[in-house]
Amino acid sequence: MILFITVPLLIESVFFVALFAQFQELQSELKNEEEAVDCLVLVNRIFVGAMSGAGNLFSSQAFGQKKLYIQAMTDFDEVDKHILELKKVAPPDGNTAVSGFVAIIEQAQSMFQTTANDVHEDEFKVENFKMAGQAKSFLKRLQISGLKVIEEKSRLRDEVRKRQKEIRAKIEIIIQSGIAINFVLAIIAVSSFGLTLGKRFRVLFDNTFRIAANKPLNPPLKGSDEISKLDQVIHKMDQELVITRQRERAIIDNTAEIICSLDQACRVLEVNSAVQKRLGYLEDDFRGSIFQSHVVTDQRQNAYDSLQQARESNKEYSFETQLVAKGGDVRDMEVTAQWSEHDRGIFCILRDITARKESERLKQEVIAMVSHDLRAPLTSIGMSLDMIVDGIFGAINDRGMKVATAAQQSVSSLIAMINDLLDIERAESTGVQLYYEQIDSAKVVSRALEVVKPEADSKAIVLKDECASVDCKIDIERINRVLVNLLNNAIKFSPNKSTIVASCKKDGDILQFEVSDQGAGIPEDKIDSVFEKFKQVGTGSEGEKKGSGLGLAICKSMVEAHGGKIGVRSTLGKGSTFWFTVPVAGIPTDS
């Protein structure tokens, strides 16, 4: 870059210096020409003035006319002025025609002055005739000398004009040479730029495109200039990007889920190695195929519509479908699709939920078996035991009554456990169906206390009702079941002769129920899991008080179906308080 600036600058400087010198010389020649022309004009004026003054002078003497004498004096004054101007223009140096001309005109001027004085004295002398002859001779010499001056200055003017022509020719040559040199320099610069800088810049541009296309870069540029340093930065950035891509690819390839990208036509552009583990396809075999072609036939249109929904909504969209593996097996997949406007494609994560679906099917089968194959026989056994205990089949001894009563309680527990299992499954699959009624909250709590009173009396536990009277809209049966469940748990985990308090109060638009006991309490690390399914929490000393672990989970589902919340406050060794809230006016439902 320095050469591209300094070389043209030096050449242009030489060009302008040479051009300036020629212009200076031309200016000097023009001045010489101007002096020659001025000299010619002045010589001519002096000669004409001298001739006119001499003629007027001798005419005034011959004819005695004063007017001619005055005119002669005027002519001689003009001649004096022109002589002074001529000396300024071309100072006499004794060797030129101008010097001779000036010497002759000064002699003639002296002679004419003497003649003029004589004329002025009105004296006519014989010498005047002699002077007239001398004047004629002087005028002739003056004419000859003037012609020499004219010839010399004319020759000088011609020489000056010739030199001017030569200078102009040189100037033209310099300008043409400058243009030619600049043109050649421009070609050299362009060629040099194309072969050096241009080539290096093209390498940089090509490297940037190669980075974008994930291709190997050109060899590093040699040198220590800025372009080489920039190329080094690009290579370093490429190395870091390669490492980053390798890490990202390793993460994607080691991911158990299938990750792929689709174009706008739902054609697979990229896919990770999990496709081989999940579906048995090699990456290259799966890449380039239409996504719907791997979906079971009757779900292809739904899968395509779901992908288009993800594209149109421009947000994450999930759906379930079934894909056919390479061996023909059908795999259940949960597809999470996200449209990328920047990449103009759909990114998908395919989670294999075949095991989950199979588990759900097995669970449904188990639920169906429990519902039909267990509950019906157990209900029948329970009814038979009820009739035995009631003496319908006749009187039995005390031992038989004791055994029948124990069997009756066991069957009732089994039926209650089955009902809980069916309730929680129904709540998770279809939701809890609510039937709202208007009622006083105090009546709801009173009914629940009446249900659990026999069990509380068996342990000498005192039940306290501290419920405020609030007119509310709830599903009476569901809330009653929640209260009964919480009271039963409180009785189960409370010591004999303790106190259990059931209360309710209104807080704005919310109705809050509480059941407080004086039991052992719940460990702090187990409070968060107390409402989970199949969970039993306690201090570890209640091994004989195990249940299904579904009661509190059912309570939670029923309270949340009302739009409320449920929780617990507990202090280890001092007891627990279970609470739940529901809106006073209820919430709209689909029922």
Side-chain angles (χ1 to χ4, degrees):
M1 294 301 292
I2 294 175
L3 288 176
F4 285 152
I5 295 173
T6 56
V7 172
L9 184 61
L10 290 174
I11 293 175
E12 292 297 329
S13 299
V14 173
F15 168 74
F16 281 114
V17 168
L19 196 61
F20 181 75
Q22 293 299 319
F23 274 114
Q24 288 288 97
E25 187 176 353
L26 179 61
Q27 187 70 21
S28 177
E29 294 299 332
L30 289 174
K31 184 177 180 181
N32 292 336
E33 182 184 10
E34 183 180 356
E35 290 177 355
V37 172
D38 291 343
C39 189
L40 290 173
V41 172
L42 291 172
V43 168
N44 185 58
R45 289 179 178 177
I46 290 170
F47 183 76
V48 172
M51 293 290 292
S52 177
N56 289 328
L57 178 62
F58 287 106
S59 296
S60 66
Q61 188 177 13
F63 300 107
Q65 293 185 3
K66 191 71 172 179
K67 182 178 181 181
L68 293 176
Y69 173 80
I70 294 172
Q71 183 62 44
M73 293 298 102
T74 301
D75 292 338
F76 289 143
D77 289 339
E78 289 295 325
V79 169
D80 289 338
K81 292 180 182 179
H82 293 325
I83 290 173
L84 292 175
E85 291 178 5
L86 180 60
K87 288 180 179 181
K88 291 179 181 179
V89 173
D93 56 4
N95 297 320
T96 62
V98 174
S99 300
F101 180 79
V102 171
I104 293 172
I105 193 63
E106 286 179 347
Q107 292 177 10
Q109 187 180 15
S110 176
M111 183 191 67
F112 292 149
Q113 187 65 39
T114 303
T115 304
N117 292 334
D118 291 341
V119 172
H120 182 67
E121 293 173 358
D122 293 329
E123 292 181 359
F124 182 79
K125 299 177 180 179
V126 177
E127 285 81 4
N128 291 340
F129 288 101
K130 294 180 181 180
M131 287 183 181
Q134 292 177 357
K136 183 177 180 182
S137 175
F138 273 117
L139 290 175
K140 187 174 182 180
R141 289 172 58 194
L142 185 63
Q143 182 181 9
I144 294 171
S145 180
L147 290 175
K148 288 181 180 180
V149 172
I150 291 173
E151 182 181 355
E152 181 181 289
K153 295 302 180 182
S154 297
R155 185 176 64 253
L156 177 62
R157 184 186 61 186
D158 293 339
E159 291 175 357
V160 168
R161 288 180 177 177
K162 182 179 179 181
R163 285 196 295 272
Q164 289 178 1
K165 186 176 181 181
E166 292 174 353
I167 293 172
R168 288 191 178 94
K170 289 181 181 180
I171 291 174
E172 290 180 0
I173 292 173
I174 292 173
I175 293 175
Q176 292 172 358
S177 300
I179 294 173
I181 291 172
N182 282 331
F183 184 74
V184 172
L185 283 176
I187 294 176
I188 294 174
V190 171
S191 301
S192 177
F193 184 84
L195 294 175
T196 55
L197 294 179
K199 183 178 179 181
R200 292 161 74 84
F201 275 119
R202 284 194 295 272
V203 171
L204 292 181
F205 291 145
D206 185 56
N207 281 341
T208 57
F209 287 118
R210 286 175 176 269
I211 288 178
N214 195 20
K215 294 181 180 180
L217 301 187
N218 296 298
L221 295 176
K222 297 180 179 180
S224 58
D225 56 283
E226 289 79 2
I227 298 177
S228 299
K229 292 179 180 178
L230 180 59
D231 184 65
Q232 293 172 9
V233 172
I234 292 176
H235 276 79
K236 184 177 180 181
M237 181 176 63
D238 179 67
Q239 293 174 359
E240 293 177 354
L241 287 175
V242 168
I243 295 173
T244 302
R245 290 193 188 102
Q246 290 174 349
R247 290 174 180 171
E248 292 177 351
R249 189 68 194 182
I251 294 173
I252 293 174
D253 289 341
N254 292 323
T255 301
E257 312 299 344
I258 299 174
I259 300 176
C260 63
S261 61
L262 314 178
D263 62 12
Q264 299 184 53
C266 297
R267 186 181 300 277
V268 180
L269 299 177
E270 287 292 338
V271 67
N272 66 337
S273 58
V275 69
Q276 184 174 2
K277 179 180 178 182
R278 296 296 183 184
L279 299 176
Y281 291 100
L282 295 175
E283 294 179 52
D284 292 337
D285 295 337
F286 199 79
R287 191 182 293 114
S289 61
I290 300 297
F291 180 82
Q292 299 92 274
S293 64
H294 302 287
V295 180
V296 295
T297 305
D298 58 342
Q299 297 182 20
R300 289 180 178 176
Q301 185 61 43
N302 181 61
Y304 177 79
D305 293 340
S306 298
L307 291 173
Q308 295 305 311
Q309 179 70 22
R311 176 184 174 185
E312 293 171 1
S313 63
N314 199 24
K315 61 182 181 180
E316 188 177 285
Y317 186 83
S318 298
F319 62 95
E320 294 182 3
T321 189
Q322 291 181 312
L323 299 185
V324 181
K326 189 173 183 179
D329 296 335
V330 176
R331 310 294 296 179
D332 290 290
M333 292 287 176
E334 181 184 48
V335 182
T336 301
Q338 174 75 53
W339 169 258
S340 173
E341 188 67 30
H342 179 268
D343 298 294
R344 304 297 296 173
I346 305 173
F347 289 91
C348 299
I349 298 177
L350 283 66
R351 297 180 180 86
D352 191 343
I353 57 172
T354 305
R356 191 184 79 188
K357 286 291 185 180
E358 184 64 25
S359 176
E360 290 177 356
R361 284 191 288 269
L362 290 175
K363 185 174 71 172
Q364 292 298 329
E365 292 176 2
V366 171
I367 295 299
M369 181 189 69
V370 169
S371 178
H372 297 90
D373 299 340
L374 290 180
R375 188 168 63 170
L378 285 173
T379 302
S380 178
I381 292 173
M383 292 175 63
S384 298
L385 290 172
D386 289 341
M387 287 188 290
I388 292 173
V389 171
D390 292 340
I392 295 177
F393 298 114
I396 59 175
N397 56 28
D398 294 338
R399 185 178 179 184
M401 180 63 69
K402 185 176 180 180
V403 171
T405 302
Q408 183 186 37
Q409 292 175 353
S410 297
V411 169
S412 298
S413 297
L414 287 174
I415 293 175
M417 187 180 297
I418 291 172
N419 288 334
D420 287 345
L421 184 63
L422 294 176
D423 285 342
I424 196 68
E425 176 60 26
R426 190 180 301 111
E428 290 181 350
S429 60
T430 62
V432 179
Q433 192 73 23
L434 300 179
Y435 300 93
Y436 282 98
E437 297 180 64
Q438 203 77 24
I439 192 172
D440 189 340
S441 60
K443 291 183 180 180
V444 178
V445 174
S446 177
R447 290 180 186 179
L449 290 173
E450 290 177 2
V451 172
V452 301
K453 190 173 187 308
E455 186 177 356
D457 291 342
S458 66
K459 297 181 68 175
I461 293 176
V462 177
L463 299 177
K464 284 189 177 182
D465 184 353
E466 297 181 356
C467 185
S469 179
V470 179
D471 190 24
C472 58
K473 188 177 182 181
I474 57 175
D475 185 321
I476 300 173
E477 181 63 28
R478 302 293 186 186
I479 297 300
N480 182 74
R481 186 171 178 181
V482 172
L483 286 169
V484 169
N485 200 321
L486 294 179
L487 288 168
N488 277 330
N489 280 344
I491 293 170
K492 185 190 298 184
F493 292 99
S494 293
N496 295 340
K497 299 181 180 181
S498 60
T499 302
I500 294 176
V501 179
S503 64
C504 68
K505 60 182 179 180
K506 182 180 179 183
D507 185 7
D509 296 333
I510 300 299
L511 184 62
Q512 180 167 327
F513 295 87
E514 291 186 357
V515 174
S516 301
D517 61 50
Q518 298 174 338
I522 303 171
E524 187 176 353
D525 60 339
K526 295 182 179 180
I527 287 180
D528 293 337
S529 61
V530 73
F531 293 100
E532 296 180 10
K533 291 186 296 184
F534 308 109
K535 288 286 185 178
Q536 287 280 312
V537 297
T539 61
S541 60
E542 304 89 359
E544 76 284 4
K545 300 173 183 178
K546 298 294 183 182
S548 65
L550 294 174
L552 291 178
I554 293 173
C555 292
K556 185 174 185 291
S557 64
M558 290 180 179
V559 170
E560 290 180 348
H562 278 79
K565 296 180 181 179
I566 189 169
V568 60
R569 300 187 302 272
S570 181
T571 302
L572 203 61
K574 294 185 179 181
S576 303
T577 299
F578 282 84
W579 59 268
F580 68 92
T581 61
V582 294
V584 174
I587 59 174
T589 65
D590 296 333
S591 58

